[in-house]
Amino acid sequence: MKRTWMLWFLLAAAGCDAAGYSLWLLTPREKRNVDAEFPNLKNHTVAVVFYVDEKTQLDYPNVCLTLGAKVAEQLRQHVKNVKVIDPLRVIRYQDENLHWDTQDKKTTATDLKADFLLIVSLVEFSTRVPGQMNAFQGRISAEAKLYDSILDEGDNLLWESKRGLDVVYPKLPQYSERMEPHIRQETEQKFADMLAKKFYDHEIEINVEDE
């Protein structure tokens, strides 16, 4: 407590702006509850399947594995008793069934022994600013749909993302190539967190400026 007041005193002496910023840092953030858009994954098995175009797969060969692993981890951590099919098993299935994307979703879910099939279509995946080879910034844009393995094809779409799942990290491009692995890691993690939150109740901080 003494350190907090000492910090406040020093910043106050430095000027009102610094003191105001300190007070902002020390003030508890207001939060609000957000309900899951689809709360029924708990106690079930889900397979997360990524659809990626050929160019993205050539530029980022292991994107389905790295993203799939992060999404699986977030779901396992936050959704009660959910079982997520191993991403390696999903990728192997896609490799062995080249027309998986045109067959009915019920078949895919059944083959993978999953109750639900979460298909994530990557619209954009990049770690570089378009048109600037030396500017690094993670960008992921995707659409997601959840299918049931029991209902008949045509009726088994249970949920879809109402708006695009978009992540840009960091806010400003970086110009050091050494930053690219970190940027990719953080961008993928933020995307996985964003997607997983569609399936469990959670809290978010309220930004007064956005109200």
Side-chain angles (χ1 to χ4, degrees), residues 140-196:
I140 299 178
S141 180
E143 298 173 351
K145 295 183 178 182
L146 185 75
Y147 296 88
D148 195 298
S149 66
I150 298 175
L151 299 175
D152 291 333
E153 179 69 11
D155 298 322
N156 61 349
L157 176 61
L158 299 177
W159 170 89
E160 61 182 314
S161 49
K162 298 175 183 177
R163 291 175 291 179
L165 299 163
D166 304 305
V167 174
V168 176
Y169 177 85
K171 290 184 178 180
L172 296 177
Q174 303 295 303
Y175 293 90
S176 171
E177 190 169 359
R178 290 179 300 176
M179 290 294 295
E180 186 174 13
H182 169 74
I183 287 172
R184 175 170 175 174
Q185 170 76 14
E186 288 300 310
T187 306
E188 290 186 352
Q189 193 62 51
K190 288 179 182 296
F191 175 82
D193 179 67
M194 177 186 292
L195 178 57

Coordinates of all heavy atoms in Angstrom, one line a residue, residues 140-196:
I140 N -5.5 -12.3 -39.4 CA -6.4 -13.4 -39.6 C -7.8 -13.0 -39.8 O -8.3 -12.2 -39.0 CB -6.3 -14.4 -38.4 CG1 -4.9 -14.9 -38.2 CG2 -7.2 -15.6 -38.6 CD1 -4.7 -15.9 -37.0
S141 N -8.4 -13.5 -40.8 CA -9.9 -13.2 -41.0 C -10.5 -14.6 -41.4 O -10.0 -15.3 -42.2 CB -10.1 -12.2 -42.2 OG -11.4 -12.0 -42.4
A142 N -11.6 -14.9 -40.7 CA -12.2 -16.2 -40.9 C -13.7 -16.2 -40.7 O -14.2 -15.3 -40.1 CB -11.5 -17.2 -40.0
E143 N -14.3 -17.3 -41.2 CA -15.7 -17.5 -40.9 C -15.8 -18.9 -40.3 O -15.0 -19.8 -40.6 CB -16.5 -17.5 -42.2 CG -16.5 -16.1 -42.8 CD -17.2 -16.1 -44.2 OE1 -17.5 -17.2 -44.7 OE2 -17.4 -15.0 -44.8
A144 N -16.7 -19.2 -39.4 CA -16.9 -20.4 -38.7 C -18.3 -20.9 -38.7 O -19.2 -20.1 -38.5 CB -16.3 -20.4 -37.3
K145 N -18.5 -22.2 -38.9 CA -19.8 -22.8 -38.8 C -19.7 -24.1 -38.0 O -18.7 -24.9 -38.1 CB -20.3 -23.1 -40.2 CG -20.6 -21.9 -41.0 CD -21.2 -22.2 -42.4 CE -21.5 -20.9 -43.2 NZ -22.1 -21.2 -44.5
L146 N -20.8 -24.4 -37.2 CA -20.8 -25.6 -36.4 C -21.9 -26.5 -36.9 O -23.1 -26.1 -37.0 CB -21.0 -25.2 -34.9 CG -21.0 -26.4 -33.9 CD1 -19.5 -26.8 -33.7 CD2 -21.6 -26.0 -32.6
Y147 N -21.6 -27.8 -37.1 CA -22.6 -28.7 -37.6 C -22.8 -29.9 -36.6 O -21.9 -30.3 -35.9 CB -22.1 -29.3 -39.0 CG -22.0 -28.3 -40.1 CD1 -20.8 -27.6 -40.3 CD2 -23.1 -28.1 -40.9 CE1 -20.7 -26.6 -41.3 CE2 -23.0 -27.1 -41.9 CZ -21.8 -26.4 -42.1 OH -21.7 -25.5 -43.1
D148 N -24.0 -30.5 -36.6 CA -24.3 -31.6 -35.8 C -24.1 -32.9 -36.6 O -24.3 -32.9 -37.8 CB -25.8 -31.5 -35.4 CG -26.1 -32.4 -34.3 OD1 -26.0 -33.6 -34.4 OD2 -26.6 -31.9 -33.2
S149 N -23.6 -33.9 -35.9 CA -23.4 -35.2 -36.6 C -24.6 -36.1 -36.6 O -24.6 -37.2 -37.3 CB -22.3 -36.0 -35.8 OG -22.7 -36.4 -34.6
I150 N -25.7 -35.7 -36.0 CA -26.9 -36.5 -35.9 C -28.0 -36.1 -36.9 O -28.6 -36.9 -37.6 CB -27.5 -36.6 -34.5 CG1 -26.4 -37.1 -33.5 CG2 -28.7 -37.4 -34.4 CD1 -26.8 -37.1 -32.1
L151 N -28.3 -34.8 -36.9 CA -29.3 -34.3 -37.8 C -29.0 -34.5 -39.3 O -27.9 -34.7 -39.7 CB -29.5 -32.8 -37.6 CG -29.9 -32.4 -36.1 CD1 -30.0 -30.9 -36.0 CD2 -31.3 -32.9 -35.8
D152 N -30.1 -34.6 -40.1 CA -29.9 -34.9 -41.5 C -29.2 -33.7 -42.2 O -29.3 -32.5 -41.8 CB -31.2 -35.1 -42.2 CG -31.8 -36.4 -41.8 OD1 -31.1 -37.3 -41.4 OD2 -33.1 -36.5 -41.8
E153 N -28.4 -34.0 -43.2 CA -27.7 -32.9 -44.0 C -28.7 -31.9 -44.4 O -29.8 -32.2 -44.9 CB -27.0 -33.5 -45.2 CG -26.2 -32.5 -46.0 CD -25.0 -31.9 -45.3 OE1 -24.6 -32.4 -44.3 OE2 -24.5 -30.9 -45.8
G154 N -28.4 -30.6 -44.3 CA -29.3 -29.6 -44.7 C -30.0 -29.0 -43.5 O -30.3 -27.8 -43.5
D155 N -30.1 -29.7 -42.4 CA -30.7 -29.3 -41.2 C -29.7 -29.2 -40.0 O -30.1 -28.9 -38.9 CB -31.9 -30.1 -40.8 CG -33.0 -30.1 -41.8 OD1 -33.3 -29.1 -42.4 OD2 -33.6 -31.2 -42.0
N156 N -28.5 -29.6 -40.3 CA -27.5 -29.8 -39.2 C -26.6 -28.6 -38.9 O -25.7 -28.8 -38.1 CB -26.7 -31.1 -39.4 CG -25.9 -31.1 -40.6 OD1 -26.0 -30.2 -41.5 ND2 -25.0 -32.0 -40.7
L157 N -26.8 -27.5 -39.5 CA -26.1 -26.3 -39.2 C -26.7 -25.7 -37.9 O -27.8 -25.3 -37.9 CB -26.1 -25.2 -40.3 CG -25.5 -23.9 -40.0 CD1 -24.0 -24.1 -39.8 CD2 -25.7 -22.9 -41.2
L158 N -25.9 -25.7 -36.8 CA -26.3 -25.3 -35.5 C -26.0 -23.9 -35.2 O -26.7 -23.2 -34.5 CB -25.8 -26.2 -34.4 CG -26.1 -27.7 -34.5 CD1 -25.4 -28.5 -33.4 CD2 -27.6 -27.9 -34.4
W159 N -24.8 -23.4 -35.7 CA -24.3 -22.1 -35.3 C -23.4 -21.6 -36.4 O -22.7 -22.4 -37.1 CB -23.6 -22.2 -34.0 CG -22.8 -20.9 -33.7 CD1 -23.3 -19.8 -33.0 CD2 -21.5 -20.6 -34.0 NE1 -22.3 -18.9 -32.9 CE2 -21.2 -19.3 -33.5 CE3 -20.5 -21.3 -34.7 CZ2 -19.9 -18.8 -33.6 CZ3 -19.2 -20.7 -34.8 CH2 -19.0 -19.5 -34.3
E160 N -23.3 -20.3 -36.6 CA -22.3 -19.7 -37.5 C -21.9 -18.4 -37.0 O -22.7 -17.7 -36.3 CB -22.8 -19.6 -39.0 CG -24.0 -18.8 -39.2 CD -24.4 -18.8 -40.7 OE1 -23.5 -18.7 -41.5 OE2 -25.6 -19.0 -40.9
S161 N -20.7 -18.0 -37.2 CA -20.2 -16.7 -36.7 C -21.1 -15.5 -37.4 O -21.2 -15.5 -38.6 CB -18.8 -16.5 -37.1 OG -18.5 -16.7 -38.4
K162 N -21.7 -14.7 -36.5 CA -22.5 -13.6 -37.0 C -21.8 -12.6 -37.7 O -22.2 -12.0 -38.7 CB -23.3 -13.0 -35.8 CG -24.2 -14.0 -35.1 CD -24.8 -13.4 -33.9 CE -25.7 -14.4 -33.1 NZ -26.2 -13.9 -31.9
R163 N -20.6 -12.3 -37.3 CA -19.7 -11.4 -37.9 C -18.3 -12.1 -38.2 O -18.0 -13.1 -37.5 CB -19.5 -10.1 -37.1 CG -20.7 -9.3 -37.0 CD -20.5 -8.1 -36.0 NE -20.4 -8.6 -34.7 CZ -20.1 -7.8 -33.6 NH1 -20.0 -6.5 -33.8 NH2 -20.1 -8.3 -32.4
G164 N -17.5 -11.5 -39.0 CA -16.2 -12.2 -39.3 C -15.4 -12.2 -38.1 O -15.5 -11.4 -37.2
L165 N -14.5 -13.2 -38.0 CA -13.6 -13.4 -36.9 C -12.3 -12.8 -37.4 O -11.6 -13.4 -38.2 CB -13.4 -14.9 -36.6 CG -14.6 -15.6 -36.1 CD1 -14.4 -17.1 -36.2 CD2 -15.0 -15.2 -34.7
D166 N -12.0 -11.6 -36.9 CA -10.9 -10.8 -37.5 C -9.9 -10.4 -36.4 O -10.3 -9.9 -35.3 CB -11.4 -9.5 -38.2 CG -12.4 -9.8 -39.2 OD1 -12.1 -10.6 -40.1 OD2 -13.5 -9.3 -39.2
V167 N -8.6 -10.6 -36.6 CA -7.6 -10.3 -35.7 C -6.5 -9.6 -36.5 O -6.1 -10.0 -37.5 CB -7.0 -11.5 -35.0 CG1 -5.8 -11.1 -34.1 CG2 -8.0 -12.2 -34.1
V168 N -6.0 -8.4 -35.9 CA -4.8 -7.7 -36.4 C -3.9 -7.5 -35.3 O -4.3 -6.9 -34.3 CB -5.2 -6.4 -37.1 CG1 -3.9 -5.7 -37.6 CG2 -6.1 -6.6 -38.3
Y169 N -2.6 -8.0 -35.4 CA -1.7 -7.8 -34.3 C -0.3 -7.7 -34.8 O 0.1 -8.4 -35.7 CB -1.7 -9.0 -33.3 CG -0.7 -8.9 -32.2 CD1 -1.0 -8.2 -31.1 CD2 0.6 -9.5 -32.4 CE1 0.0 -8.0 -30.1 CE2 1.5 -9.3 -31.4 CZ 1.2 -8.6 -30.2 OH 2.2 -8.5 -29.3
P170 N 0.5 -6.7 -34.3 CA 0.1 -5.6 -33.4 C -0.6 -4.5 -34.2 O -0.8 -4.6 -35.4 CB 1.5 -5.1 -32.9 CG 2.4 -5.4 -34.0 CD 1.9 -6.7 -34.6
K171 N -1.0 -3.5 -33.4 CA -1.7 -2.4 -34.1 C -0.9 -1.7 -35.1 O -1.4 -1.3 -36.2 CB -2.2 -1.4 -33.0 CG -3.3 -1.9 -32.1 CD -3.8 -0.8 -31.2 CE -4.9 -1.3 -30.3 NZ -5.4 -0.3 -29.4
L172 N 0.4 -1.5 -34.9 CA 1.3 -0.9 -35.8 C 2.3 -1.9 -36.3 O 2.8 -2.8 -35.6 CB 2.1 0.2 -35.1 CG 1.2 1.4 -34.6 CD1 2.1 2.4 -33.9 CD2 0.5 2.1 -35.8
P173 N 2.5 -1.9 -37.6 CA 3.5 -2.9 -38.2 C 4.9 -2.8 -37.6 O 5.3 -1.7 -37.1 CB 3.5 -2.5 -39.7 CG 2.3 -1.7 -39.9 CD 2.0 -1.0 -38.7
Q174 N 5.6 -3.9 -37.5 CA 6.9 -3.9 -37.1 C 7.9 -4.2 -38.3 O 7.5 -4.8 -39.2 CB 7.1 -5.1 -36.0 CG 6.2 -5.0 -34.9 CD 6.4 -3.7 -34.0 OE1 7.5 -3.6 -33.5 NE2 5.4 -2.9 -33.8
Y175 N 9.1 -3.7 -38.1 CA 10.0 -3.7 -39.3 C 11.3 -4.5 -39.0 O 12.3 -4.4 -39.7 CB 10.4 -2.3 -39.7 CG 9.2 -1.6 -40.3 CD1 8.3 -0.8 -39.4 CD2 8.8 -1.7 -41.6 CE1 7.2 -0.2 -39.9 CE2 7.7 -1.0 -42.1 CZ 6.9 -0.3 -41.3 OH 5.7 0.3 -41.8
S176 N 11.1 -5.4 -38.0 CA 12.2 -6.4 -37.7 C 11.8 -7.8 -38.0 O 10.8 -8.3 -37.5 CB 12.7 -6.2 -36.3 OG 13.6 -7.3 -35.9
E177 N 12.5 -8.5 -38.9 CA 12.1 -9.8 -39.3 C 12.2 -10.8 -38.1 O 11.4 -11.8 -38.0 CB 13.0 -10.3 -40.4 CG 12.6 -11.7 -41.0 CD 13.4 -12.0 -42.2 OE1 14.2 -11.2 -42.6 OE2 13.1 -13.1 -42.8
R178 N 13.0 -10.4 -37.1 CA 13.0 -11.3 -35.9 C 11.7 -11.3 -35.1 O 11.5 -12.2 -34.3 CB 14.2 -10.8 -35.0 CG 15.6 -11.0 -35.5 CD 16.6 -10.5 -34.5 NE 16.5 -9.0 -34.3 CZ 17.2 -8.3 -33.5 NH1 18.1 -8.9 -32.8 NH2 17.0 -7.0 -33.3
M179 N 10.9 -10.3 -35.4 CA 9.6 -10.2 -34.7 C 8.5 -11.1 -35.3 O 7.5 -11.4 -34.6 CB 9.1 -8.8 -34.7 CG 9.9 -7.8 -33.8 SD 9.7 -8.2 -32.1 CE 7.9 -7.9 -31.8
E180 N 8.8 -11.6 -36.5 CA 7.7 -12.4 -37.2 C 7.2 -13.6 -36.4 O 6.0 -13.8 -36.3 CB 8.2 -12.8 -38.6 CG 7.0 -13.4 -39.4 CD 7.4 -13.7 -40.8 OE1 8.6 -13.6 -41.1 OE2 6.5 -14.0 -41.6
P181 N 8.1 -14.5 -35.8 CA 7.6 -15.6 -35.1 C 6.7 -15.2 -33.9 O 5.7 -15.9 -33.7 CB 8.9 -16.3 -34.6 CG 9.9 -15.9 -35.6 CD 9.6 -14.5 -36.0
H182 N 7.1 -14.2 -33.2 CA 6.3 -13.7 -32.1 C 5.0 -13.2 -32.5 O 3.9 -13.4 -31.9 CB 7.1 -12.6 -31.3 CG 6.3 -11.9 -30.3 ND1 5.9 -12.5 -29.1 CD2 5.7 -10.7 -30.3 CE1 5.1 -11.6 -28.4 NE2 5.0 -10.5 -29.1
I183 N 5.0 -12.4 -33.6 CA 3.8 -11.8 -34.1 C 2.8 -12.9 -34.5 O 1.6 -12.9 -34.3 CB 4.1 -10.9 -35.3 CG1 4.7 -9.6 -34.8 CG2 2.8 -10.6 -36.1 CD1 5.2 -8.7 -35.9
R184 N 3.3 -14.0 -35.2 CA 2.4 -15.1 -35.6 C 1.9 -15.8 -34.4 O 0.7 -16.1 -34.4 CB 3.2 -16.1 -36.5 CG 2.4 -17.3 -36.9 CD 3.0 -18.1 -37.9 NE 2.2 -19.3 -38.1 CZ 2.4 -20.3 -39.0 NH1 3.4 -20.1 -39.9 NH2 1.7 -21.3 -39.1
Q185 N 2.7 -16.1 -33.4 CA 2.3 -16.7 -32.2 C 1.1 -16.0 -31.5 O 0.1 -16.5 -31.2 CB 3.5 -16.9 -31.3 CG 3.1 -17.4 -29.9 CD 2.8 -18.9 -29.8 OE1 3.1 -19.6 -30.8 NE2 2.2 -19.3 -28.7
E186 N 1.3 -14.7 -31.4 CA 0.3 -13.9 -30.7 C -0.9 -13.7 -31.5 O -2.1 -13.7 -30.9 CB 0.9 -12.5 -30.3 CG 2.0 -12.5 -29.2 CD 1.4 -13.0 -27.9 OE1 0.3 -12.6 -27.5 OE2 2.0 -13.9 -27.3
T187 N -0.8 -13.6 -32.8 CA -2.0 -13.4 -33.6 C -2.8 -14.7 -33.6 O -4.1 -14.6 -33.5 CB -1.6 -13.1 -35.1 OG1 -0.7 -12.0 -35.1 CG2 -2.8 -12.8 -36.0
E188 N -2.2 -15.8 -33.7 CA -2.9 -17.1 -33.6 C -3.6 -17.3 -32.3 O -4.7 -17.8 -32.2 CB -2.0 -18.3 -33.9 CG -1.5 -18.3 -35.4 CD -0.7 -19.6 -35.7 OE1 -0.3 -20.3 -34.7 OE2 -0.4 -19.8 -36.9
Q189 N -2.9 -16.9 -31.2 CA -3.4 -17.1 -29.9 C -4.6 -16.2 -29.7 O -5.6 -16.6 -29.1 CB -2.4 -16.7 -28.8 CG -2.7 -17.1 -27.4 CD -2.9 -18.7 -27.3 OE1 -2.0 -19.4 -27.7 NE2 -4.0 -19.1 -26.8
K190 N -4.6 -15.0 -30.2 CA -5.7 -14.1 -30.0 C -6.9 -14.6 -30.9 O -8.1 -14.5 -30.4 CB -5.3 -12.7 -30.5 CG -4.4 -11.9 -29.6 CD -4.0 -10.6 -30.1 CE -3.0 -9.9 -29.1 NZ -3.6 -9.6 -27.8
F191 N -6.6 -15.2 -32.0 CA -7.7 -15.7 -32.8 C -8.4 -16.9 -32.1 O -9.6 -17.0 -32.0 CB -7.2 -16.2 -34.2 CG -8.3 -16.9 -35.0 CD1 -9.2 -16.1 -35.7 CD2 -8.3 -18.2 -35.1 CE1 -10.2 -16.8 -36.5 CE2 -9.3 -18.9 -35.8 CZ -10.2 -18.1 -36.5
A192 N -7.5 -17.8 -31.6 CA -8.0 -19.0 -30.9 C -8.9 -18.6 -29.7 O -10.0 -19.2 -29.4 CB -6.9 -19.9 -30.4
D193 N -8.4 -17.6 -29.0 CA -9.2 -17.1 -27.8 C -10.5 -16.5 -28.3 O -11.6 -16.7 -27.7 CB -8.4 -16.0 -27.1 CG -9.1 -15.4 -25.9 OD1 -9.3 -16.1 -24.9 OD2 -9.4 -14.2 -26.0
M194 N -10.5 -15.7 -29.3 CA -11.8 -15.1 -29.9 C -12.8 -16.2 -30.3 O -13.9 -16.1 -30.0 CB -11.4 -14.2 -31.1 CG -12.6 -13.6 -31.7 SD -12.2 -12.7 -33.2 CE -11.3 -11.3 -32.5
L195 N -12.3 -17.2 -31.0 CA -13.2 -18.2 -31.5 C -13.7 -19.1 -30.3 O -14.9 -19.3 -30.3 CB -12.5 -19.1 -32.5 CG -13.3 -20.3 -33.0 CD1 -14.5 -19.8 -33.7 CD2 -12.4 -21.1 -34.0
A196 N -12.9 -19.5 -29.4 CA -13.3 -20.3 -28.3 C -14.4 -19.6 -27.4 O -15.3 -20.2 -26.9 CB -12.1 -20.7 -27.4

